[in-house]
Amino acid sequence: MHEPMQARTEAGRRYVALMEAHAADFAQRAAQHDREGSFPLENFEALQRSKAMAAMVPEEFGGLGVERVFDMVTGISRLGRGDGSTAIAANMHISGGLIVRMDREAAQRRGDTATVEALEELLREIGSGSITFSLLGTESGTDQLHPQVTATRTKGGYLINGRKIFGTGSPAANRFFTFLGVQSPDEEQQIAGVILPRGLEGMEIQDNWDALGMRASGSNDVVFRDCFVSDAQFAGALRLIWGEWSPPWFHLIIPANLGLAAVFFGIAEAARDHVVAQVMTRTKKPSGRTLAQRPTIQHWIAEIEIERITAQSMLEACAERVDAFYAANPPGTDVPFDDLHQLNKLFQVTKNVVTNRAVTVVDKAMTASGGSGYLSRSPLSRWYRDVRAGPIMQTYSPNEQYEYIARATLGLPMNEMTS
């Protein structure tokens, strides 16, 4: 039997075991939450109690001390087997812990004591389970290098206006990490990445998530109307160049979104296991033989295995490459832009392969199951809808993804993408 992904470290193995236990629990309620379109707050309370949400936080700050992206991705894939909606929302927070840890390392390397202290306090909050993150990166009609949600300078701070979409996990979140276009007469146009607390006046979390799949992910819009953020709250904002790639973008995009790809691989694994068990036990008259003995069913199972193993191999190889890259180029060190784009290109290729193979696995599992998989009571019907979110999730959607991969391969300017 082809081995499933396995964590590479002891801390990683403890974390993966937690995620397997959570997946088994969450799977029992996934169909109901999907049917109702309700958000599983109880799942996130359980993830916080077990400290799975603090997986990437060092033990000294109350976390599990997982260090490798490979292990993080493995655990997220396990959770995806049980409930994809919970897994994509949990990934936003868990990978956020990794990003904070990396930012702390970068601040230590440049001797920025104030930032180190602020980030260590944030790590303690994540480790204690007192905060839950949602990432607000997506807007309709633009990309992340050109956010249209604005932070306009005013006395004592900034006024935020605009709408973010796909605020996954927003019902559970009490902290929102968001990207804003800064508009100030005494500053050049730039992007600020800022953490905003829930409940600011002028911040409204919509209850409007209604989609084909991932119906329990709470991916609501968040609207800002003259939402005041003080200079003190803005003080630690990550500053990025408007319309251009800069090193922090890669540290944000690659680890977090590799976790998202892992969710859809986990869904494919669940569909594969379900249909294999089904065809090995179900019989059909007049022969009375199991479905597994039929050559046509064997063909579908073989195709499922080919697609699943291809996806797993690509996911493992990319996660290992990301870990090796950061081992050789720790956060805060100077890295040539071309090296960063080549790493991101590998991630984009991996996302394409993994998410599209995951769709194919679930499609073929549906075919092999016959009419039973089409019924709402079958988990295949939910997986069939959920897995289709994979190719369109950040970053990039298929249209932009092909352009990015081609430009990185051809050596064309990466800031001139037209999609």
Side-chain angles (χ1 to χ4, degrees):
M1 178 179 287
H2 186 75
E3 270 289 301
M5 290 182 69
Q6 300 292 339
R8 298 292 199 250
T9 66
E10 185 56 38
R13 285 186 282 274
R14 291 194 297 269
Y15 161 63
V16 170
L18 280 176
M19 295 300 249
E20 288 174 342
H22 284 307
D25 177 31
F26 300 168
Q28 299 177 50
R29 300 184 291 276
Q32 179 181 349
H33 283 297
D34 173 74
R35 191 177 305 111
E36 297 172 351
S38 55
F39 187 79
L41 277 170
E42 69 276 15
N43 292 359
F44 290 85
E45 292 168 356
L47 286 164
Q48 290 283 21
R49 284 195 301 271
S50 74
K51 289 193 175 292
M53 293 284 265
M56 309 308 293
V57 173
E59 290 182 294
E60 64 184 292
F61 299 111
L64 298 183
V66 178
E67 295 185 348
R68 297 194 61 171
V69 172
F70 190 102
D71 293 353
M72 182 191 79
V73 164
T74 302
I76 292 292
S77 74
R78 295 293 203 277
L79 196 62
R81 295 179 186 180
D83 185 344
S85 287
T86 295
I88 62 168
N91 176 73
M92 300 295 187
H93 177 91
I94 293 168
S95 62
L98 170 63
I99 291 164
V100 174
R101 193 190 78 204
M102 292 170 68
D103 287 347
R104 170 180 173 256
E105 292 173 22
Q108 286 176 320
R109 191 159 279 105
R110 65 177 182 265
D112 185 349
T113 304
T115 298
V116 169
E117 291 176 354
L119 292 172
E120 287 182 349
E121 180 57 33
L122 189 55
L123 286 171
R124 288 188 189 91
E125 290 184 291
I126 300 170
S128 71
S130 63
I131 65 173
T132 302
F133 279 116
S134 176
L135 174 63
L136 301 179
T138 306
E139 299 177 24
S140 179
T142 190
D143 62 26
Q144 292 184 344
L145 297 181
H146 304 85
Q148 302 302 297
V149 176
T150 58
T152 305
R153 198 78 175 95
T154 191
K155 184 178 180 180
Y158 295 83
L159 290 176
I160 303 175
N161 283 281
R163 177 185 293 263
K164 294 286 186 178
I165 63 174
F166 296 123
T168 302
S170 57
N174 55 16
R175 296 291 188 280
F176 294 86
F177 184 60
T178 186
F179 298 102
L180 311 166
V182 178
Q183 296 184 346
S184 172
D186 55 354
E187 296 176 292
E188 290 186 15
Q189 189 176 29
Q190 58 183 207
I191 299 170
V194 61
I195 297 173
L196 302 176
R198 189 187 190 97
L200 286 175
E201 186 176 353
M203 173 196 289
E204 184 178 343
I205 301 165
Q206 308 286 295
D207 184 16
N208 65 343
W209 177 241
D210 186 12
L212 173 70
M214 294 295 180
R215 290 181 49 76
S217 66
S219 300
N220 300 302
D221 294 3
V222 179
V223 178
F224 299 94
R225 296 186 180 90
D226 285 338
C227 177
F228 178 76
V229 179
S230 70
D231 284 331
Q233 290 172 306
F234 229 85
L238 177 67
R239 299 289 183 149
L240 303 167
I241 302 170
W242 173 268
E244 295 186 21
W245 286 95
S246 54
W249 275 121
F250 298 94
H251 308 324
L252 290 165
I253 287 170
I254 297 171
N257 291 316
L258 192 59
L260 286 180
V263 173
F264 298 97
F265 175 66
I267 293 172
E269 288 186 301
R272 177 264 187 202
D273 291 349
H274 176 87
V275 77
V276 165
Q278 185 182 70
V279 302
M280 290 180 69
T281 56
R282 183 171 293 177
T283 60
K284 191 168 185 177
K285 296 183 183 306
S287 70
R289 295 186 302 170
T290 63
L291 297 179
Q293 293 173 289
R294 300 177 65 183
T296 304
I297 297 297
Q298 293 170 12
H299 175 86
W300 290 123
I301 297 301
E303 290 203 354
I304 286 170
E305 280 299 89
I306 291 167
E307 301 288 356
R308 181 183 70 90
I309 292 172
T310 298
Q312 179 175 328
S313 299
M314 193 73 189
L315 186 61
E316 288 179 327
C318 186
E320 287 175 342
R321 178 71 186 96
V322 170
D323 279 325
F325 182 90
Y326 284 114
N329 304 279
T333 56
D334 291 332
V335 183
F337 263 95
D338 187 60
D339 291 357
L340 291 167
H341 279 299
Q342 291 305 314
L343 185 67
N344 193 32
K345 183 182 82 168
L346 175 62
F347 162 66
Q348 297 300 333
V349 172
T350 300
K351 175 179 180 284
N352 183 290
V353 170
V354 172
T355 59
N356 283 293
R357 294 301 187 279
V359 169
T360 302
V361 166
V362 181
D363 281 352
K364 293 181 186 298
M366 178 75 82
T367 300
S369 75
S372 65
Y374 191 72
L375 300 174
S376 294
R377 66 172 178 266
S378 170
L380 275 170
S381 68
R382 170 167 46 87
W383 296 329
Y384 186 86
R385 290 179 286 105
D386 283 353
V387 79
R388 277 161 169 73
I392 64 173
M393 294 197 78
Q394 292 287 356
T395 58
Y396 286 108
S397 65
N399 296 335
E400 297 161 320
Q401 186 180 76
Y402 285 108
E403 185 177 359
Y404 184 94
I405 292 168
R407 282 183 169 273
T409 301
L410 296 168
L412 298 175
M414 302 306 293
N415 291 329
E416 298 177 8
M417 284 180 61
T418 58
S419 292

